Amino acid sequence: MKKRTFIKLSSTLMAAPVFSPLSDWFAAEKLKNWAGNLEYSTDKLYKANSIKDVQELVRKYDKVKVLGTRHCFNSIADTKYNFISLREMDQVVALDPKARTVTIESGMSYGQLAPYLDKKGFALHNLASLPHISVAGACTTATHGSGVKNGNLATVVSALEIVTANGDVRTLSRAKDGDTFRGAVVGLGALGAITKVTLDIQPTFQMRQYVYENLPLEQLKDHFEAIVSSGYSVSLFTDWQKKRINEVWIKSKVEKGDTAKAKTEFYGAKLATKNLHPIAELSAVNCTEQMGVPGPWYERLPHFRMGFTPSSGKELQAEYFVPRKNAVEAILAVERLRDHISPHLFISELRTIDADNFWMSPCYKQPSLAIHFTWKQDWASVRKVLPMIEKELAPFHAKPHWGKVFTMAPATLQSRYEKLADFKKLVNEFDPKGKFRNDFLATNLYGGSV
């Protein structure tokens, strides 16, 4: 688009009625997700700038969905009807140093929130690999970082503000709402439009990370717990070839007076001598600093720099959660499929996540291992490999990430969530006519379509 045309359209948009569909101005540009693998089923996207706007939009339409940073690789956020964008609602509402909480509007991303908190002397317990995803979207899909003692990103949510299907505002808190709160935090977009989130925070801290190359797979059999517990957050990257883990990323807190240097060898893996990308062949220029250089928590916990916000990622992602007690068996089960997997794979990442008590979280009452796949964007091939992986992981009752691609049968998926019936009752309380329900939820939670 020419600069002059863009400026003219931008000025017109600013003067347009707030509820005009944004897509009317860009009819030729179809709404797609971040990766570009999914074209949304409608271009009717309405911008909300306040809770009042959200309430009016929810009351106006019979069918709506909130569209966030579009990082989901499946249709969990899709709709054939009307989208609401809360991206403009991205401010800090309140910082309470005494209670150690921060309340934010739901359009805020981790890339916006983390530097703000650090300047105020605070931190979050963990971050995902990419910083540009929205806090609310990450929490409602149980997105996570890594660490044997770290729960997913939703575990620091202490309160939610939701606009329900009738347009009312409802606030839930960990302190007052018990099971309702535990059912709502990982709500999959089914309960309403999340407009505010309150998060637990802690004093800021420094971190460093080291990367080791070529960890023999055999070492995981005997030393898995020691390896994944070797840092505050540990990621293992593999292409499933050569009986190895290609890279081990160990992120550790810098304690006062800590001058220890990294060992040159780690369970047979060698200390890297330069910064690395998770895919070793790619440039590490956009990766967070390695080589043990200390830095703020938010510049070490993600794999990619806060200032690096890719506009799209030509890839597909899939991820499966298994009980941590079965981690080694599950890894070896997937490794047997290496010749089926590798031709279509960029890289896999193995991470641990602590248990939580959210009904629809894959880590509900279960310390877990997440086996992540970053695929080449070839759905025809990937959709043939996923059933093989799901079959190998079936003995461990694997659960897929809610926002990534999978082929698991709805009946199988439903059988792996012991609180599903209670969650459906909660959804019915908040949204009795299915205003926020879409085909993804109807199929995977209810076995039908809308």
Side-chain angles (χ1 to χ4, degrees):
M1 186 180 292
K2 294 181 179 179
K3 183 177 180 182
R4 183 178 299 173
T5 304
F6 176 76
I7 293 171
K8 183 178 179 181
L9 282 174
S10 297
S11 300
T12 308
L13 276 171
M14 290 176 68
V18 71
F19 296 153
S20 295
L22 301 185
S23 55
D24 285 355
W25 299 101
F26 302 101
E29 299 181 16
K30 294 292 186 181
L31 281 175
K32 293 184 178 181
N33 66 342
W34 172 79
N37 69 296
L38 178 69
E39 187 175 291
Y40 292 113
S41 302
T42 182
D43 289 334
K44 293 180 180 178
L45 177 65
Y46 301 91
K47 181 175 67 173
N49 293 303
S50 66
I51 294 175
K52 183 179 178 182
D53 287 349
V54 178
Q55 289 179 282
E56 289 183 22
L57 285 165
V58 168
R59 287 171 179 151
K60 183 176 181 179
Y61 296 107
D62 293 331
K63 288 283 188 181
V64 293
K65 291 297 289 183
V66 173
L67 189 62
T69 44
R70 309 184 196 181
H71 194 68
C72 290
F73 292 80
N74 60 31
S75 58
I76 189 171
D78 195 18
T79 180
K80 294 176 285 189
Y81 304 99
N82 305 283
F83 282 121
I84 303 175
S85 171
L86 278 61
R87 293 293 299 278
E88 299 298 317
M89 296 171 60
D90 63 350
Q91 299 301 303
V92 173
V93 177
L95 177 69
D96 188 335
K98 186 176 181 180
R100 288 191 178 178
T101 62
V102 63
T103 300
I104 60 171
E105 293 179 318
S106 62
M108 177 168 275
S109 69
Y110 285 98
Q112 293 170 287
L113 176 60
Y116 167 85
L117 286 177
D118 189 65
K119 288 178 182 178
K120 299 293 185 178
F122 292 100
L124 297 170
H125 82 299
N126 217 342
L127 291 170
S129 301
L130 290 169
H132 67 284
I133 58 177
S134 69
V135 176
C139 292
T140 202
T141 53
T143 296
H144 59 92
S146 180
V148 293
K149 296 181 180 179
N150 298 325
N152 67 43
L153 301 180
T155 55
V156 295
V157 174
S158 60
L160 289 172
E161 180 183 83
I162 303 174
V163 174
T164 61
N166 61 6
D168 292 341
V169 176
R170 186 162 176 184
T171 301
L172 301 174
S173 73
R174 183 196 298 143
K176 297 179 181 179
D177 292 290
D179 274 351
T180 301
F181 176 79
R182 289 186 282 273
V185 174
V186 180
L188 311 180
L191 301 176
I194 298 170
T195 48
K196 291 192 183 78
V197 184
T198 300
L199 307 171
D200 296 332
I201 54 178
Q202 58 183 276
T204 190
F205 54 92
Q206 293 271 302
M207 299 193 77
R208 59 165 58 98
Q209 64 179 336
Y210 290 101
V211 176
Y212 290 83
E213 297 183 87
N214 299 317
L215 175 80
L217 190 63
E218 193 70 23
Q219 293 289 342
L220 286 185
K221 297 179 184 179
D222 300 322
H223 305 290
F224 176 79
E225 283 297 329
I227 289 169
V228 297
S229 302
S230 59
Y232 183 85
S233 172
V234 177
S235 292
L236 312 178
F237 292 97
T238 181
D239 59 6
W240 303 104
Q241 293 295 306
K242 301 180 181 179
K243 301 286 184 180
R244 65 171 181 177
I245 300 296
N246 303 41
E247 298 176 13
V248 181
W249 289 40
I250 303 174
K251 304 167 189 276
S252 303
K253 282 187 174 183
V254 178
E255 306 294 346
K256 189 175 181 179
D258 179 10
T259 58
K261 292 185 177 181
K263 296 179 180 179
T264 57
E265 187 170 322
F266 179 79
Y267 293 98
K270 303 299 183 183
L271 183 66
T273 56
K274 62 178 182 179
N275 283 1
L276 293 176
H277 190 282
I279 303 171
E281 295 77 17
L282 299 183
S283 169
V285 65
N286 291 318
C287 294
T288 47
E289 190 69 40
Q290 301 156 33
M291 306 296 292
V293 178
W297 58 279
Y298 70 93
E299 292 183 353
R300 296 295 179 273
L301 281 170
H303 301 326
F304 297 95
R305 296 178 186 273
M306 282 284 165
F308 171 59
T309 306
S311 59
S312 65
K314 298 297 182 181
E315 62 191 47
L316 297 173
Q317 292 185 16
E319 186 170 36
Y320 298 93
F321 298 77
V322 298
R324 202 171 89 206
K325 64 182 180 181
N326 301 125
V328 173
E329 296 171 90
I331 292 168
L332 296 178
V334 174
E335 193 268 341
R336 289 195 289 269
L337 297 172
R338 58 188 176 276
D339 292 337
H340 296 282
I341 291 172
S342 292
H344 314 296
L345 185 74
F346 284 125
I347 201 71
S348 273
E349 182 178 8
L350 310 175
R351 288 179 285 179
T352 56
I353 308 100
D354 203 3
D356 60 59
N357 60 5
F358 302 133
W359 293 354
M360 299 307 291
S361 167
C363 301
Y364 178 69
K365 295 186 177 179
Q366 174 181 284
S368 300
L369 170 77
I371 305 175
H372 185 276
F373 303 86
T374 301
W375 302 102
K376 298 171 185 176
Q377 203 174 86
D378 178 6
W379 177 234
S381 297
V382 172
R383 72 186 304 174
K384 294 176 182 177
V385 180
L386 292 181
M388 299 180 194
I389 296 170
E390 291 168 1
K391 183 179 179 180
E392 287 294 325
L393 295 178
F396 315 113
H397 303 286
K399 302 172 185 175
H401 189 295
W402 287 111
K404 300 178 182 179
V405 294
F406 58 89
T407 60
M408 190 174 292
T412 302
L413 179 62
Q414 293 163 26
S415 72
R416 294 179 183 173
Y417 282 88
E418 62 181 88
K419 299 293 286 185
L420 178 58
D422 292 318
F423 181 69
K424 289 179 180 178
K425 291 178 183 176
L426 187 63
V427 171
N428 190 59
E429 177 189 336
F430 278 69
D431 184 15
K433 295 182 179 179
K435 178 173 288 194
F436 291 96
R437 192 180 304 178
N438 61 3
D439 284 345
F440 178 95
L441 297 176
T443 298
N444 289 293
L445 300 189
Y446 296 87
S449 61
V450 296

Coordinates of all heavy atoms in Angstrom, one line a residue, residues 14-48:
M14 N -9.7 6.9 11.8 CA -9.8 7.6 13.1 C -11.1 8.4 13.2 O -11.6 8.5 14.3 CB -8.6 8.5 13.2 CG -7.3 7.8 13.4 SD -5.9 8.9 13.5 CE -6.2 9.7 15.0
A15 N -11.7 8.8 12.1 CA -12.9 9.6 12.2 C -14.1 8.7 12.0 O -15.2 9.2 12.2 CB -12.9 10.7 11.1
A16 N -13.9 7.4 11.7 CA -15.1 6.6 11.4 C -15.8 6.2 12.7 O -15.2 6.2 13.8 CB -14.6 5.3 10.7
P17 N -17.1 5.8 12.6 CA -17.8 5.3 13.8 C -17.0 4.1 14.4 O -16.6 3.3 13.6 CB -19.2 4.9 13.3 CG -19.3 5.7 12.0 CD -17.9 5.9 11.5
V18 N -17.0 4.0 15.7 CA -16.2 3.0 16.3 C -16.6 1.6 16.0 O -15.8 0.7 16.0 CB -16.2 3.2 17.9 CG1 -17.5 2.9 18.5 CG2 -15.1 2.4 18.5
F19 N -17.9 1.4 15.6 CA -18.4 0.0 15.4 C -18.4 -0.3 13.9 O -19.0 -1.3 13.5 CB -19.7 -0.2 16.0 CG -19.7 -0.1 17.5 CD1 -20.8 0.3 18.2 CD2 -18.5 -0.4 18.2 CE1 -20.8 0.4 19.6 CE2 -18.5 -0.3 19.6 CZ -19.6 0.1 20.3
S20 N -17.8 0.5 13.0 CA -17.7 0.2 11.6 C -16.7 -1.0 11.5 O -15.7 -0.9 12.1 CB -17.2 1.3 10.8 OG -18.2 2.4 10.8
P21 N -17.1 -2.0 10.7 CA -16.1 -3.1 10.6 C -14.8 -2.6 10.0 O -14.8 -1.9 9.0 CB -16.8 -4.1 9.6 CG -18.3 -3.7 9.7 CD -18.3 -2.3 10.0
L22 N -13.7 -2.9 10.7 CA -12.4 -2.5 10.1 C -12.1 -3.0 8.8 O -11.5 -2.4 7.9 CB -11.3 -2.9 11.1 CG -11.4 -2.4 12.5 CD1 -10.1 -2.8 13.3 CD2 -11.5 -0.9 12.6
S23 N -12.7 -4.2 8.5 CA -12.4 -4.9 7.2 C -13.1 -4.2 6.0 O -12.7 -4.4 4.9 CB -12.8 -6.3 7.3 OG -14.2 -6.4 7.6
D24 N -14.1 -3.3 6.3 CA -14.7 -2.6 5.2 C -13.7 -1.8 4.4 O -13.8 -1.5 3.2 CB -15.8 -1.7 5.7 CG -17.0 -2.4 6.1 OD1 -17.1 -3.7 5.9 OD2 -18.0 -1.8 6.7
W25 N -12.6 -1.3 5.1 CA -11.6 -0.4 4.5 C -10.6 -1.2 3.8 O -9.8 -0.7 3.0 CB -11.0 0.5 5.6 CG -12.0 1.3 6.3 CD1 -12.6 1.1 7.5 CD2 -12.6 2.5 5.8 NE1 -13.5 2.1 7.8 CE2 -13.5 3.0 6.8 CE3 -12.4 3.2 4.6 CZ2 -14.2 4.1 6.6 CZ3 -13.2 4.4 4.5 CH2 -14.1 4.8 5.5
F26 N -10.4 -2.5 4.1 CA -9.4 -3.3 3.6 C -10.0 -4.6 3.0 O -9.6 -5.7 3.3 CB -8.3 -3.7 4.6 CG -7.7 -2.5 5.2 CD1 -8.1 -2.0 6.5 CD2 -6.7 -1.8 4.6 CE1 -7.5 -0.9 7.0 CE2 -6.1 -0.6 5.1 CZ -6.5 -0.2 6.4
A27 N -11.0 -4.5 2.2 CA -11.8 -5.6 1.7 C -11.0 -6.6 1.0 O -11.3 -7.8 1.0 CB -13.0 -5.1 0.9
A28 N -9.9 -6.1 0.4 CA -9.1 -7.1 -0.4 C -8.1 -7.9 0.5 O -7.6 -8.9 0.0 CB -8.3 -6.3 -1.4
E29 N -8.0 -7.5 1.7 CA -7.1 -8.2 2.6 C -7.9 -9.0 3.6 O -8.5 -8.6 4.6 CB -6.2 -7.1 3.4 CG -5.4 -6.3 2.4 CD -4.5 -5.3 3.2 OE1 -4.3 -5.5 4.4 OE2 -4.0 -4.4 2.6
K30 N -7.9 -10.3 3.3 CA -8.6 -11.2 4.2 C -8.0 -11.4 5.5 O -6.7 -11.4 5.7 CB -8.7 -12.6 3.5 CG -9.5 -12.6 2.2 CD -11.0 -12.4 2.5 CE -11.8 -12.6 1.2 NZ -13.3 -12.3 1.5
L31 N -8.8 -11.5 6.6 CA -8.3 -11.7 7.9 C -7.6 -13.1 8.0 O -8.3 -14.1 7.7 CB -9.4 -11.6 8.9 CG -9.8 -10.2 9.3 CD1 -11.0 -10.3 10.3 CD2 -8.7 -9.5 10.0
K32 N -6.4 -13.1 8.4 CA -5.7 -14.4 8.6 C -5.0 -14.4 10.0 O -4.8 -13.4 10.6 CB -4.6 -14.6 7.5 CG -5.2 -14.8 6.1 CD -4.1 -15.1 5.1 CE -4.7 -15.3 3.8 NZ -3.6 -15.6 2.8
N33 N -4.6 -15.6 10.4 CA -3.9 -15.7 11.7 C -2.4 -15.3 11.5 O -2.0 -15.1 10.3 CB -4.0 -17.1 12.3 CG -3.3 -18.2 11.4 OD1 -3.1 -18.0 10.3 ND2 -3.1 -19.3 12.0
W34 N -1.6 -15.3 12.5 CA -0.2 -14.9 12.5 C 0.6 -15.7 11.5 O 1.4 -15.2 10.8 CB 0.3 -15.0 13.9 CG 1.8 -14.8 14.1 CD1 2.5 -13.6 14.1 CD2 2.8 -15.8 14.2 NE1 3.8 -13.8 14.2 CE2 4.0 -15.1 14.3 CE3 2.8 -17.2 14.2 CZ2 5.2 -15.8 14.5 CZ3 4.0 -17.9 14.4 CH2 5.2 -17.2 14.5
A35 N 0.4 -17.0 11.5 CA 1.2 -17.9 10.7 C 0.7 -17.8 9.2 O 1.5 -18.3 8.3 CB 1.1 -19.3 11.2
G36 N -0.5 -17.4 8.9 CA -1.0 -17.3 7.6 C -1.6 -18.6 7.1 O -2.0 -18.8 5.9
N37 N -1.6 -19.6 8.0 CA -2.2 -20.9 7.6 C -3.7 -21.0 7.7 O -4.3 -21.9 7.1 CB -1.6 -22.1 8.4 CG -2.1 -22.0 9.9 OD1 -1.8 -21.1 10.6 ND2 -2.8 -23.0 10.3
L38 N -4.3 -20.0 8.4 CA -5.8 -20.0 8.6 C -6.4 -18.7 8.1 O -6.0 -17.6 8.6 CB -6.1 -20.2 10.1 CG -7.5 -20.2 10.5 CD1 -8.2 -21.4 9.9 CD2 -7.7 -20.1 12.0
E39 N -7.3 -18.8 7.2 CA -8.1 -17.6 6.8 C -9.4 -17.6 7.6 O -10.1 -18.6 7.6 CB -8.4 -17.6 5.3 CG -9.1 -16.4 4.8 CD -9.2 -16.4 3.3 OE1 -8.2 -16.3 2.6 OE2 -10.4 -16.5 2.8
Y40 N -9.7 -16.6 8.4 CA -10.9 -16.5 9.2 C -12.1 -16.5 8.4 O -12.1 -16.1 7.2 CB -10.8 -15.4 10.2 CG -9.7 -15.5 11.2 CD1 -8.6 -14.7 11.2 CD2 -9.7 -16.5 12.2 CE1 -7.6 -14.8 12.1 CE2 -8.7 -16.7 13.1 CZ -7.6 -15.8 13.1 OH -6.6 -16.0 14.0
S41 N -13.2 -17.0 9.0 CA -14.5 -17.2 8.3 C -15.3 -15.9 8.1 O -16.4 -16.0 7.4 CB -15.3 -18.3 9.0 OG -14.6 -19.5 9.1
T42 N -14.9 -14.8 8.6 CA -15.5 -13.5 8.4 C -14.5 -12.4 8.5 O -13.5 -12.6 9.1 CB -16.7 -13.3 9.4 OG1 -17.3 -12.0 9.1 CG2 -16.1 -13.2 10.8
D43 N -14.8 -11.3 7.8 CA -14.0 -10.1 7.9 C -14.6 -9.1 8.7 O -14.1 -7.9 8.8 CB -13.7 -9.6 6.5 CG -12.8 -10.4 5.6 OD1 -12.0 -11.2 6.3 OD2 -12.9 -10.4 4.4
K44 N -15.7 -9.4 9.4 CA -16.4 -8.4 10.2 C -15.7 -8.3 11.6 O -16.0 -9.1 12.5 CB -17.9 -8.8 10.4 CG -18.7 -8.8 9.1 CD -20.1 -9.2 9.3 CE -20.9 -9.1 8.1 NZ -22.3 -9.5 8.2
L45 N -14.8 -7.3 11.7 CA -14.0 -7.1 12.8 C -14.3 -5.7 13.4 O -14.1 -4.7 12.7 CB -12.5 -7.2 12.5 CG -11.5 -6.9 13.6 CD1 -11.6 -8.0 14.7 CD2 -10.1 -6.9 13.0
Y46 N -14.8 -5.7 14.6 CA -15.2 -4.4 15.2 C -14.3 -4.0 16.4 O -14.0 -4.9 17.2 CB -16.6 -4.5 15.8 CG -17.7 -4.8 14.7 CD1 -18.0 -6.2 14.4 CD2 -18.3 -3.8 14.0 CE1 -18.9 -6.5 13.5 CE2 -19.2 -4.1 13.0 CZ -19.5 -5.5 12.7 OH -20.4 -5.8 11.7
K47 N -13.8 -2.8 16.4 CA -12.8 -2.4 17.4 C -13.5 -1.8 18.6 O -14.4 -1.0 18.5 CB -11.9 -1.3 16.7 CG -10.9 -0.8 17.7 CD -9.9 0.2 17.0 CE -10.6 1.5 16.6 NZ -9.7 2.5 16.1
A48 N -13.1 -2.3 19.8 CA -13.6 -1.8 21.0 C -12.5 -1.0 21.7 O -11.3 -1.5 21.8 CB -14.1 -2.9 21.9

